[in-house]
């Protein structure tokens, strides 16, 4: 068993993770290292955003109907350019693009990547933490050659790696390859990510919840009962406290480290039969893999395990309940009407 040492670089950790799989070819290692480079480039641009005049909107909308921010465009292009010629990817999908994204001819590999280039981008102008989320699967279509949409439409339980890079007071990369979760902080003075959070384990329960209470008037009764319970229960240390940033990757990162539960359920406004709000491939599935690897849970508001959902389209949405295991267990009971 490899010893997790503080202070080692992310590249060394990725290589150590490869050693846990004797049959590994090194392709996934190369892919993750290229993502690290993309993260450094985006981090540098985020830090210069106010000076470089790239804050604000680009003047177009994405497939979700949302205004695309200028930094969104930069982050999206940066990741696509790194991935299209890294030699390890056969096809890509981005939250910002309608269709699949091919790689350069002759550079096709054995993995797929789906990514949200800049989650929380509506908060860019007010300097709130934002981040890149990524999900990696092995290709299903025969190699060599370009991949197809079927390679991307795989359930989260088949992910070989998932992670995110959060750009805040410091730039932190958190990832898993199925052997635990590790976090790395970028030292800008040397341009390296160093291991700062080895073997992350989300606390089993917490006293924090994250939900947009602006939608409280539209919540179903089961959601309202659960939140009311959190506000009034005495878990030994008092009632739960609201902690909500409004940037999924930032809310999730805080809960991963400190413990907590994040909720984005369906409501009366969207309807019980709606898909939900968050994207399965680009947000829910990769964060669910991290949560489970860290000892937490991730489900929909009707109790389905996120990692068991078979996607049917690139931009499929789902309700998401994610975080500390006992908190999610309790939420499930309320949302199913058992409490």
């Amino acid at each position: 068993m490899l010893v997790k040492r503080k202070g080692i670089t992310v590249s060394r950790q990725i290589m150590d993770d490869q050693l846990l799989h004797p049959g590994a070819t090194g392709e996934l290692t190369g892919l993750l290292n290229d993502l690290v480079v993309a993260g450094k480039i985006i981090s540098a641009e985020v830090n210069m955003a106010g000076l470089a005049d790239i804050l604000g909107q680009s003047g177009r909308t994405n497939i979700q109907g949302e205004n695309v921010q200028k930094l969104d465009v930069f982050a999206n292009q940066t990741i696509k350019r790194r991935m299209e010629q890294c030699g390890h990817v056969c096809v890509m999908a981005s939250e910002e693009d309608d269709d699949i994204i091919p790689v350069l001819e002759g550079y096709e590999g054995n993995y797929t990547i789906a990514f949200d280039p800049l989650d929380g981008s509506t908060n860019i102008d007010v300097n709130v933490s934002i981040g890149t989320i990524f999900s990696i699967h092995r290709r299903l279509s025969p190699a060599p050659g370009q991949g197809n949409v079927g390679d991307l439409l795989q359930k989260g339980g088949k992910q070989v790696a998932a992670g995110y890079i959060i750009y805040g007071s410091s730039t932190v990369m958190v990832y898993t390859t199925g052997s635990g979760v590790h976090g790395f902080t970028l030292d800008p003075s040397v341009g390296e990510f160093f291991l700062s959070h080895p073997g992350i384990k989300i606390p089993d329960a917490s006293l924090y919840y994250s939900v947009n209470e602006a939608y409280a008037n539209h919540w179903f009764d089961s959601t309202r009962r659960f939140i009311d319970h959190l506000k009034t229960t005495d878990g030994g240390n008092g009632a739960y406290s609201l902690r909500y940033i409004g940037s999924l990757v930032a809310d999730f990162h805080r809960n991963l480290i400190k413990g907590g539960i994040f909720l984005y359920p369906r409501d009366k406004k969207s309807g019980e039969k709606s898909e939900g709000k968050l994207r399965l491939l680009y947000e829910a599935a990769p964060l669910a893999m991290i949560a489970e690897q860290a000892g937490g849970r991730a489900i929909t508001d009707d109790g389905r395990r996120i990692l068991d959902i078979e996607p049917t389209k690139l931009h499929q949405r789902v309700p998401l309940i994610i975080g500390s295991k006992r908190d999610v267990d309790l939420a499930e009971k309320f949302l199913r009407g058992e409490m």
Side-chain angles (χ1 to χ4, degrees):
M1 180 177 179
L2 295 175
V3 178
K4 304 303 179 186
R5 305 180 306 280
K6 286 189 176 183
I8 70 171
T9 66
V10 66
S11 298
R12 175 58 186 273
Q13 182 63 56
I14 291 170
M15 182 63 69
D16 283 353
D17 285 344
Q18 179 184 324
L19 296 177
L20 296 175
H21 306 280
T25 63
E27 267 200 272
L28 181 58
T29 297
L31 171 52
L32 289 171
N33 280 323
D34 272 299
L35 274 172
V36 169
V37 174
K40 292 177 183 178
I41 295 171
I42 296 169
S43 177
E45 202 72 11
V46 168
N47 290 337
M48 291 291 292
L51 301 174
D53 193 30
I54 57 173
L55 286 173
Q57 297 177 359
S58 67
R60 72 178 183 87
T61 58
N62 62 18
I63 189 173
Q64 317 295 342
E66 302 162 333
N67 289 323
V68 176
Q69 306 289 310
K70 292 179 183 178
L71 268 175
D72 267 1
V73 175
F74 176 83
N76 198 35
Q77 290 299 322
T78 297
I79 296 173
K80 287 195 290 187
R81 286 169 182 161
R82 295 298 308 182
M83 295 296 104
E84 70 182 0
Q85 57 185 339
C86 71
H88 310 304
V89 173
C90 66
V91 67
M92 297 178 275
S94 166
E95 185 190 9
E96 302 298 342
D97 289 80
D98 294 6
D99 300 314
I100 62 172
I101 306 164
V103 300
L104 294 182
E105 188 174 349
Y107 288 88
E108 303 94 338
N110 290 311
Y111 292 93
T112 74
I113 182 167
F115 56 90
D116 182 347
L118 214 57
D119 177 77
S121 58
T122 54
N123 292 309
I124 289 172
D125 289 342
V126 292
N127 207 29
V128 170
S129 295
I130 51 182
T132 299
I133 307 174
F134 59 88
S135 167
I136 300 171
H137 285 87
R138 288 189 182 88
R139 72 182 297 167
L140 297 176
S141 61
Q146 294 282 343
N148 56 51
V149 68
D151 291 312
L152 289 158
L153 296 180
Q154 300 186 57
K155 63 184 180 181
K158 292 184 177 179
Q159 291 173 110
V160 295
Y164 59 85
I165 304 170
I166 185 169
Y167 315 106
S169 57
S170 58
T171 297
V172 176
M173 178 178 181
V174 175
Y175 84 95
T176 180
T177 56
S179 301
V181 180
H182 309 295
F184 302 79
T185 300
L186 179 64
D187 181 345
S189 66
V190 295
E192 278 288 0
F193 281 97
F194 289 98
L195 182 63
S196 54
H197 299 78
I200 296 173
K201 291 295 182 183
I202 186 170
D204 195 43
S206 74
L207 288 175
Y208 301 107
Y209 70 99
S210 308
V211 68
N212 188 349
E213 293 212 53
Y215 290 102
N217 290 337
H218 303 294
W219 286 342
F220 290 109
D221 290 343
S222 56
T223 302
R224 188 186 307 279
R225 285 196 303 272
F226 175 61
I227 299 301
D228 286 345
H229 173 79
L230 296 184
K231 290 178 178 180
T232 58
T233 189
D234 185 344
N237 295 308
Y240 283 62
S241 297
L242 173 66
R243 296 288 187 273
Y244 185 69
I245 299 170
S247 171
L248 172 62
V249 69
D251 278 306
F252 177 80
H253 182 69
R254 182 202 55 246
N255 291 355
L256 180 68
I257 303 300
K258 300 289 188 180
I261 181 170
F262 174 92
L263 303 93
Y264 210 127
R266 287 170 285 201
D267 52 41
K268 294 176 183 176
K269 195 173 182 179
S270 61
E272 288 187 25
K273 294 184 178 180
S274 73
E275 292 184 315
K277 170 67 176 177
L278 300 176
R279 291 75 171 177
L280 176 60
L281 292 182
Y282 315 106
E283 296 169 318
L287 295 186
M289 182 180 183
I290 294 169
E292 290 199 6
Q293 282 291 314
R297 287 189 70 197
I299 62 173
T300 63
D301 57 5
D302 58 4
R304 289 176 295 160
R305 180 177 178 245
I306 292 292
L307 295 183
D308 287 338
I309 299 175
E310 197 88 47
T312 58
K313 53 187 177 181
L314 288 178
H315 297 281
Q316 185 170 334
R317 298 173 185 252
V318 291
L320 179 63
I321 316 294
I322 189 169
S324 296
K325 184 180 184 302
R326 281 197 290 166
D327 292 339
V328 176
D329 288 348
L330 182 62
E332 183 176 16
K333 291 179 181 178
F334 272 92
L335 295 173
R336 285 183 166 179
E338 298 172 5
M339 293 186 70

